[in-house]
Amino acid sequence: METVKEVRTRRWEEKKYEDGVKWMSLEHNGPYFPPEYQPLPDDVSFYYNGKKVKLSLAAEEVALFFAQMLDHEYTTKQVFRENFFKDWRKEMTAEERSLIQHLEKCDFGELHNLHKAKVEARKNMSKEEKQALKEANQKITDEYGYCLLDRHKERIGNFKIEPPGLFRGRGEHPKQGMLKKRVQPEDVIINCSKDSRIPVPPAGHRWKEVRHDNTVTWLASWTENVQGSIKYIMLNANSKLKGEKDWEKYEVARKLKSCVDDIRDQYLRDLKSKEMVTRQRAVALYFIDKLALRAGNEKEEGETADTVGCCSLRVEHITLHDQLDGNECVVEFDFLGKDSIRYYNKVPVIKKVFKSVKLFLENKEHGDDLFDRLNTSLLNKHLSSLMPGLTAKVFRTYNASITLQQQLKALTNRKTKLLSYNRANRAVAILCNHQRAPPKTFEQSMATLQTKIEARKEQLALAKTELKQAKKEAKAKGNSDPKLQKYRCEEQLLKMEVQATDREENKQIALGTSKLNYLDPRISVAWCKNMGVPIEKIYNKTQREKFAWAIDMTEADFEF
DNA sequence: AGCCGGACTTAGGAAGGGCAGA
DNA sequence: TCTGCCCTTCCTAAGTCCGGCT
């Protein structure tokens, strides 16, 4: 007799296809294209050098992109302005180009105001208008938001073609401000099964190509003009395909758990190697494992912001301290990582690592690679020889998940379970350096909460006095129950205090990323079961859908 | 061996929406 | 009923890693 658990698990486990085949049938309606550009009304003009200029449609559209962003800081950045102006001029007619030579002489004021008015109008829409808009959007979702994969209806993640606009990179991106062009059906490749209803291109257009490749999961793709990279239309995270992949990822990380001790022994031994490559590999692995650094692929200079990961660290990103704050052998890291988020950390390391790094830095200067013999492909080749499926990023997943599990065991306080959970989650977010900009209204909303807490404290004091009073007059005839009132008051006070602590500790930490991408959901599901916490308390609707596989199959005894 | 295109995951910020308190 | 706040959803950029090619 098989258990419910086994049946549920098998449902997710059944792997129909081998050797890279992802589906047998795929049918969809193609991507949704953004609406065509609507020309400016006659009473809104662009001015050049103080004179009204009626722009061609193409130039006008791009001008509006810039005007819309005028409130944003990056329209003041030199690189952004230059890139924009250069690309804008390409969209102009010859006459426009010869007239409009300097961005400083351009007056986008009326276009900017028009945009602001539109935003305002949208905000002030009546209930009926909002409802109508919502219904129209729903219709679009109904038509384009779903596909049929192996006869199951699945949600598509991003079914809309990205609208044109000005490219906004993160950090000091050399291409910021460049024009991201409007995507035409003629740019789009459709992927679906041969025997399916082929999506119909918008009237008067045709697709670039229709192909039937069942070894990939995307439904449509196009090449974006700024970076020349391919963009894809893919399934939603709650789809079976994505869920299975996610599960697989955590299974690989669990496998690492079973052999991580050996791997650690090995790279500690490798620290003594006379081979420079081996020694650099060992140090890199030490950092990746201990600090959850990303692999750090090399990037093309001048094409993207200057950011690094482990293998691409340079001399200027680390400082060695023989002694620092009472610790020996401290490595100070200071670099911009993914999304130009700063990684700053002072880490005491073992002597061998410290001495090795010192050696690697010898005769190098600012701009040189710390690991000059190493790259991610070499590193990953080594890792995959230690364990099938092992790559650098598995360490991040493994260390994140194991940390959550350990922290949950260590921290869980029966009285403030959710705070404990968030603290465990936070420990992981800190490990992975998942930061966010402090919310703009942080200080103020913190103060508001504090005021409420004070008020509640007073109320509690009052309730306590009343309770004493009531006890004295043994036969209380009041219609309210003072005991209950005091109890409620205490509850609410505790809740608010916990909230305040949680919020303060969360000021610059983003919990979502690790929750969504690094923490094996089965750890959380099991914890909820053990603690009697409803799963809704830690996963919202979207998250529950994404982690349906884990919620379905996990029992209280799950161990990562 | 190194390079590059391709496919997929991971990431933070902006926009949207719903709800509690004024 | 309005307003401000917080959470969710949307958006798309920026990573990782693989495999095929030269």
Side-chain angles (χ1 to χ4, degrees), chain A residues 341 433-439 442 502-511:
Chain A
I341 297 291
N433 201 230
H434 291 143
Q435 297 190 26
R436 62 166 185 175
F442 184 84
D502 207 34
R503 201 187 288 177
E504 184 68 48
E505 290 178 357
N506 248 2
K507 185 176 179 181
Q508 305 193 63
I509 311 289
L511 299 186

Side-chain angles (χ1 to χ4, degrees), chain A residues 36-37 55-66 88 164 182:
Chain A
E36 286 301 307
Y37 174 64
L55 295 169
S56 63
L57 211 61
E60 183 185 283
E61 181 179 12
V62 179
L64 195 55
F65 293 151
F66 189 78
W88 184 29
R182 184 177 287 275

Side-chain angles (χ1 to χ4, degrees), chain A residues 74-119:
Chain A
Y74 36 65
T75 53
T76 64
K77 287 191 178 175
Q78 192 66 12
V79 179
F80 189 96
R81 294 173 68 87
E82 277 169 13
N83 284 333
F84 157 70
F85 196 58
K86 197 171 154 207
D87 277 5
W88 184 29
R89 280 171 55 81
K90 288 182 201 155
E91 299 301 308
M92 293 176 186
T93 63
E95 299 93 291
E96 286 167 342
R97 205 160 25 243
S98 72
L99 173 68
I100 302 171
Q101 306 252 12
H102 301 284
L103 183 53
E104 295 68 35
K105 294 183 183 168
C106 294
D107 177 359
F108 300 97
E110 290 189 7
L111 313 210
H112 182 59
N113 289 338
L114 173 74
H115 172 250
K116 280 200 294 195
K118 272 187 184 164
V119 170

Side-chain angles (χ1 to χ4, degrees), chain A residues 142-176:
Chain A
D142 289 344
E143 180 165 1
Y144 295 96
Y146 298 85
C147 69
L148 218 52
L149 192 139
D150 290 345
R151 280 178 257 291
H152 290 290
K153 189 172 174 180
E154 297 271 27
R155 260 168 76 196
I156 301 171
N158 57 326
F159 56 88
K160 290 177 176 169
I161 294 279
E162 294 172 15
L166 302 184
F167 177 78
R168 316 137 87 120
R170 315 258 166 88
E172 294 301 314
H173 197 116
K175 298 196 171 185
Q176 63 188 107

Side-chain angles (χ1 to χ4, degrees), chain A residues 206-424:
Chain A
R206 52 188 175 72
W207 302 119
K208 178 179 184 181
E209 183 192 334
V210 176
R211 68 172 73 157
H212 312 291
D213 182 354
N214 70 354
T215 68
V216 296
T217 65
W218 53 269
L219 321 191
S221 73
W222 72 92
T223 301
E224 158 271 345
N225 70 292
V226 175
Q227 319 238 41
S229 65
I230 309 171
K231 301 271 187 159
Y232 301 92
I233 304 285
M234 284 185 183
L235 294 179
N236 188 278
N238 67 8
S239 60
K240 183 160 175 283
L241 217 51
K242 294 268 190 195
E244 283 172 350
K245 200 80 190 297
D246 209 31
W247 183 28
E248 230 174 77
K249 174 181 80 184
Y250 291 112
E251 287 303 296
V252 173
R254 286 175 88 196
K255 216 160 72 188
L256 173 58
K257 186 193 177 191
S258 68
C259 61
V260 74
D261 290 337
D262 291 342
I263 291 175
R264 284 173 177 159
D265 286 347
Q266 159 131 42
Y267 71 62
L268 290 177
R269 261 182 277 125
D270 285 346
L271 286 171
K272 288 178 266 184
S273 171
K274 297 156 297 296
E275 282 285 325
M276 200 47 142
V277 201
T278 308
R279 201 148 161 194
Q280 292 195 353
R281 195 182 67 200
V283 172
L285 259 177
Y286 178 89
F287 288 159
I288 284 170
D289 185 19
K290 187 180 170 77
L291 306 174
L293 299 191
R294 294 188 185 82
N297 287 300
E298 43 286 54
K299 303 168 72 183
E300 213 175 331
E301 214 175 322
E303 296 293 303
T304 60
D306 178 16
T307 63
V308 298
C310 185
C311 292
S312 49
L313 281 168
R314 298 194 303 264
V315 171
E316 61 267 33
H317 299 133
I318 47 174
T319 311
L320 297 180
H321 305 274
D322 295 312
Q323 291 279 341
L324 186 71
D325 309 327
N327 289 309
E328 289 195 336
C329 299
V330 176
V331 182
E332 182 180 351
F333 293 84
D334 191 353
F335 61 89
L336 297 182
K338 181 176 180 181
D339 294 317
S340 292
I341 297 291
R342 185 180 180 204
Y343 183 93
Y344 183 76
N345 203 359
K346 293 181 224 168
V347 194
V349 301
I350 57 174
K351 266 214 170 65
K352 269 185 279 181
V353 167
F354 194 76
K355 275 169 67 183
S356 296
V357 174
K358 224 172 209 175
L359 176 72
F360 303 159
L361 288 174
E362 268 173 26
N363 302 317
K364 285 187 192 167
E365 50 189 46
H366 191 283
D368 290 346
D369 285 337
L370 170 66
F371 302 114
D372 51 303
R373 306 290 174 87
L374 188 68
N375 59 43
T376 54
S377 130
L378 230 51
L379 180 68
N380 280 335
K381 219 166 263 169
H382 172 65
L383 288 175
S384 72
S385 78
L386 300 179
M387 185 195 106
L390 186 60
T391 62
K393 89 185 181 93
V394 179
F395 281 88
R396 249 167 104 79
T397 313
Y398 161 71
N399 277 311
S401 286
I402 201 75
T403 300
L404 178 76
Q405 188 168 80
Q406 285 163 355
Q407 291 285 309
L408 284 179
K409 275 182 189 157
L411 285 175
T412 296
N413 173 337
R414 300 250 151 208
K415 199 118 198 218
T416 55
K417 293 175 197 163
L418 282 177
L419 179 63
S420 298
Y421 182 87
N422 282 345
R423 282 195 163 146

